[in-house]
Amino acid sequence: MRAGRELISADDIAAKIASMGAEITADYQGRDLLMVAVLKGAFIVMADLARAIDLPVEFDFMAVSSYGAATQTSGVVRILKDLDQEIAERDVLIVEDIIDSGLTLNYLIKSLRVRRPASLEVAALLVKQDIQSVPIDVKYTGFTIGPEFVIGYGLDYAGKYRNVPYIGVLDEHER
Ligand code: IMP
Ligand code: MG
């Protein structure tokens, strides 16, 4: 479906995902890569990025919800669905749709690090510029965007618009 003003086209996303996939393929040669996506938003990035990686990867998923007010992440995260497998000694790559304050991811990284993976890196399609209240080391970044609220390609507004094939900014009447 179409909604809002297009900010990043489906073609530009596909090209970026292809180059991120090539970089990850080169970096993880001969290693045992486990991709971990954070539901629900990252499911589309995960599906496309995984198919752009030419390695026998495994997947797992986590679901989290943040406590506190709806509009601002508090940084205290409740794990609704944990990983199905142990990650000790595994090369883990967290796949995210968007990093805003970074609080959610910061919490996740801390809770995964204590499980002693061999490595733990982050791939994010979108990073909001100058918003991170905690610095996150994102190894693979797709696009850096401004502070506007975006939808599409997995990202929602009130649960909707995840199926928009591009990244868009909603018009007033759509919110
Ligand atoms: P953070 O903890 O502030 O980094 O929040 C990250 C999460 O908030 C993302 O995984 C998204 O689910 C959501 N989020 C942040 N910014 C946007 C946006 O512009 N559109 C849709 N969801 C967003
Ligand atoms: Mg998310």
Side-chain angles (χ1 to χ4, degrees), residues 61-122:
F61 295 91
M62 287 184 86
V64 299
S65 90
S66 41
Y67 287 114
T71 50
Q72 270 293 318
T73 355
S74 60
V76 182
V77 170
R78 191 158 52 107
I79 294 178
L80 301 178
K81 184 217 167 292
D82 204 342
L83 297 174
D84 289 337
Q85 52 204 299
E86 292 185 4
I87 60 168
E89 309 302 323
R90 301 295 307 271
D91 289 302
V92 176
L93 179 64
I94 300 176
V95 176
E96 260 289 27
D97 46 6
I98 190 165
I99 299 171
D100 188 357
S101 70
L103 289 167
T104 308
L105 196 53
N106 184 54
Y107 183 92
L108 265 184
I109 288 170
K110 277 195 218 147
S111 63
L112 294 185
R113 201 161 267 152
V114 298
R115 304 181 196 181
R116 307 235 166 259
S119 66
L120 184 61
E121 300 290 354
V122 177

